[in-house]
Amino acid sequence: MFHIAHPEAGAIGTRLAAVRAEVAQTGTYRHTTQELSYGARIAMRDSGWCTSGLPWRRLKVRDLRGLRNAAAVANECVEHLRLATNGGEIRPLVTVFAPDSPSGPGPCVWNEQLIRYAGYSDGIGDPRYAAFTDAVQGMGWKAPTMRSRFDVLPLVVETAHEGPRLFTLPPEVVHEVPIEHPDLPWFGGLGLRWHAVPVIGNMRLSIGGVSYPAAPFNSWFVGSEIGTRSLGDENGYAAAKPVAQALGLDTTSERTLWRDRAVVELNRAVLHSFDRAEVTITDHHAESQHRLSWLRARQRHSGNRPTFRLDPGSAQRARTGGPARFSASESETTRPQSPGRLAELLRHHNDRSSGLHSDDSR
């Protein structure tokens, strides 16, 4: 795919020969910087997270494949947040850390997004992350003395040689937007706010058979992700009912559609507040048109195309704070393969491609 898109990169046969030789010797191969950037951009484009207005060809890819230690990964996640926030003019980024390889597995980030809010057992905060909050408290995280509904959770980075480690995000990289309404002066009294940039932390980037378990990426928010799903939903901050009551709506029955009317005002407030704070955001109507165009135009996926994917274990860790990826019983733990075995499989594939097997006709 890369050589088709970039014929100036040279003959594909030369590159394939080098890859085969590297796989035969080491059991894996290393993407060139250009291949990595191209693969990450294609994965981002095809993931469904590529929002309208995002020029995917100019997506910035940070190549940090040399980093395997938890502290270094956490520091660069902080830098990703700083660069992506960009004073409110959100900059789409992908940061790629060390891959899984025969010599050892790469690091992983537990957090679903680099910025998420704590949920406490007494109902304060975001109930979607109550189990995760309990887990990180058990690992040593101390909640603020004066707890609030929007306490930022620590970053959890796990490596095979260090296990899971906690890192506090510096306040200066957590850019938040207070939520106010353009027509309802009382709305600001609800005390709602949200962070400016959605950096997905726990999806695995797969390019050409090489797997990068830590590759945080971001575009920008769709307003309804905040207003409808995070703030309005009963499983989130359940703000729809207080808004409906303040509007004087009849909340005794769902048939009055009070919830729909309240969520509309929540979404209006989110878009108004982000625009007022000069933070990039898009609305769900523009995004719907973009997604429909994307679905019509995208190529059908094969197992070989670059992709971001979510492992079941990664999804569980993001919600419950465990189990660790590298625990002895964790089936997801990377098992280094023998370079000799991979070379044997590669030779078998090449033989079949050359028509040397007698059963090819069948």
Side-chain angles (χ1 to χ4, degrees):
M1 289 176 64
F2 171 73
H3 278 261
I4 290 171
H6 296 276
E8 73 279 3
I12 182 63
T14 303
R15 175 60 179 148
L16 287 178
V19 168
R20 291 187 178 108
E22 192 174 353
V23 169
Q25 183 176 3
T26 69
T28 187
Y29 71 103
R30 180 178 174 85
H31 291 125
T32 66
T33 300
Q34 293 76 19
E35 289 167 355
L36 178 73
S37 295
Y38 180 78
R41 288 170 180 144
I42 292 295
M44 181 76 168
R45 183 194 70 183
D46 293 349
S47 68
W49 287 93
C50 194
T51 49
S52 58
L54 172 60
W56 65 270
R57 289 181 179 83
R58 297 202 303 270
L59 178 73
K60 174 70 173 176
V61 180
R62 303 175 69 224
D63 183 358
L64 298 177
R65 288 175 287 175
L67 300 186
R68 288 185 177 273
N69 291 333
V73 170
N75 286 338
E76 290 301 333
C77 284
V78 169
E79 181 66 5
H80 183 123
L81 278 169
R82 187 187 68 79
L83 293 170
T85 303
N86 193 32
E89 189 177 349
I90 305 302
R91 180 184 295 151
L93 293 176
V94 180
T95 298
V96 184
F97 295 108
D100 289 339
S101 72
S103 62
C108 69
V109 175
W110 286 19
N111 307 61
E112 180 183 50
Q113 291 190 20
L114 298 190
I115 300 174
R116 276 302 192 220
Y117 296 117
Y120 301 106
S121 56
D122 57 5
I124 296 176
D126 192 336
R128 297 175 298 178
Y129 300 98
F132 190 92
T133 302
D134 288 342
V136 295
Q137 285 182 310
M139 295 164 64
W141 180 66
K142 303 295 184 184
T145 304
M146 298 295 292
R147 294 181 305 166
S148 77
R149 301 165 70 193
F150 298 97
D151 294 336
V152 176
L153 285 162
L155 194 65
V156 184
V157 179
E158 184 184 0
T159 65
H161 59 286
E162 298 167 291
R165 294 184 59 193
L166 304 183
F167 300 90
T168 300
L169 292 174
E172 60 268 21
V173 300
V174 183
H175 187 83
E176 294 179 300
V177 178
I179 307 300
E180 301 176 344
H181 196 281
D183 303 322
L184 304 172
W186 50 263
F187 203 100
L190 296 173
L192 301 175
R193 64 178 187 262
W194 208 253
H195 56 94
V197 56
V199 184
I200 309 300
N202 67 336
M203 294 186 75
R204 177 185 296 270
L205 173 61
S206 297
I207 305 174
V210 180
S211 183
Y212 302 91
F217 67 95
N218 72 279
S219 56
W220 42 74
F221 271 119
V222 179
S224 57
E225 293 179 43
I226 303 170
T228 301
R229 294 174 56 191
S230 296
L231 297 179
D233 195 273
E234 290 297 318
N235 294 320
Y237 279 84
K241 193 162 191 176
V243 170
Q245 291 170 337
L247 289 169
L249 304 179
D250 179 6
T251 61
T252 59
S253 170
E254 296 290 343
R255 289 180 67 85
T256 66
L257 302 185
W258 63 267
R259 194 180 303 277
D260 303 68
R261 296 171 65 184
V263 166
V264 167
E265 300 306 331
L266 275 166
N267 285 325
R268 287 187 66 202
V270 168
L271 293 173
H272 164 77
S273 300
F274 271 64
D275 288 344
R276 184 176 180 180
E278 297 183 336
V279 174
T280 310
I281 196 168
T282 186
D283 65 85
H284 57 281
H285 292 292
E287 197 58 29
S288 295
Q289 294 301 316
H290 167 71
R291 295 291 173 93
L292 285 171
S293 298
W294 170 73
L295 286 168
R296 294 188 190 105
R298 74 188 182 111
Q299 299 185 43
R300 294 303 172 202
H301 283 247
S302 70
N304 300 328
R305 293 181 65 83
T307 184
F308 282 101
R309 63 181 177 86
L310 183 62
D311 301 327
S314 298
Q316 183 178 356
R317 282 188 289 276
R319 292 291 179 173
T320 66
R325 180 188 176 201
F326 302 116
S327 60
S329 61
E330 178 66 38
S331 61
E332 188 187 337
T333 299
T334 300
R335 294 178 175 83
Q337 297 191 46
S338 162
R341 174 58 178 158
L342 289 173
E344 177 188 342
L345 292 171
L346 185 59
R347 284 195 299 272
H348 179 73
H349 171 76
N350 290 341
D351 289 347
R352 289 189 63 88
S353 299
S354 301
L356 299 181
H357 277 62
S358 60
D359 60 350
D360 274 354
S361 60
R362 295 199 298 273

